[in-house]
């Protein structure tokens, strides 16, 4: 199994920045792909950004391209999400998600077996 712990959420004004962190522990092969999924109030979860640990390739939802940056620290099994130029529509609960290598490049959330508890991001 894989355990995921997020941190770094908070409240910020529009145009501001936040950095989310996710620490992974457990089976390395089970979290070859990691990323961030968010859920706004009353809406379904949507994939935001993912990274494949093997090659460092990154994938972004169109709504965050150019504003968010996902990065990894393989040595410490960490994934980060730098969020700049935040907008009120970015408000929501942000979850760290992890899956195996088969998940590379996919925004199909069913591929990701492991989830963190979430961290709240509020943009006003």
């Amino acid at each position: 199994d894989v355990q995921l712990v997020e941190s770094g959420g908070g409240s910020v004004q529009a145009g501001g920045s936040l950095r989310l962190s996710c620490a992974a522990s457990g089976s390395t092969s089970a979290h070859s792909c990691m990323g961030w999924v968010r859920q706004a109030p009353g809406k379904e979860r949507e994939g935001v950004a993912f990274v494949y640990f093997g090659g460092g390739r990154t994938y972004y939802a169109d709504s965050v391209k150019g504003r968010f940056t996902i990065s990894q620290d393989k040595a410490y099994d960490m994934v980060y999400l730098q969020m700049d130029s935040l907008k009120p529509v970015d408000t929501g609960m942000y979850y760290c998600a992890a899956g195996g290598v088969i998940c590379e490049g996919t925004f199909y959330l069913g591929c990701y077996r492991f989830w963190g508890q979430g961290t709240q991001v509020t943009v006003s």
Side-chain angles (χ1 to χ4, degrees):
D1 279 0
V2 175
Q3 293 76 46
L4 304 173
V5 179
E6 305 101 332
S7 60
S11 297
V12 65
Q13 291 189 337
S17 299
L18 284 173
R19 188 189 192 215
L20 306 182
S21 300
C22 176
S25 60
S27 170
T28 302
S29 63
H31 63 276
S32 298
C33 296
M34 291 182 63
W36 296 91
V37 175
R38 68 185 179 190
Q39 186 169 23
K43 295 190 176 181
E44 294 185 353
R45 291 187 181 187
E46 63 169 346
V48 175
F50 296 95
V51 60
Y52 170 53
F53 271 40
R57 290 182 288 273
T58 57
Y59 306 88
Y60 295 94
D62 288 343
S63 59
V64 306
K65 282 181 182 176
R67 300 189 299 121
F68 291 11
T69 303
I70 189 170
S71 60
Q72 59 174 309
D73 184 333
K74 293 171 66 174
Y76 293 97
D77 263 347
M78 297 287 296
V79 171
Y80 305 97
L81 186 68
Q82 178 66 40
M83 303 185 293
D84 299 318
S85 302
L86 282 161
K87 305 174 182 179
V89 295
D90 295 317
T91 294
M93 187 69 77
Y94 282 68
Y95 299 90
C96 182
V101 64
I102 195 173
C103 298
E104 186 191 0
T106 184
F107 280 69
Y108 170 57
L109 302 185
C111 191
Y112 298 91
R113 292 180 55 202
F114 306 101
W115 295 78
Q117 294 298 308
T119 184
Q120 178 67 36
V121 171
T122 303
V123 185
S124 58

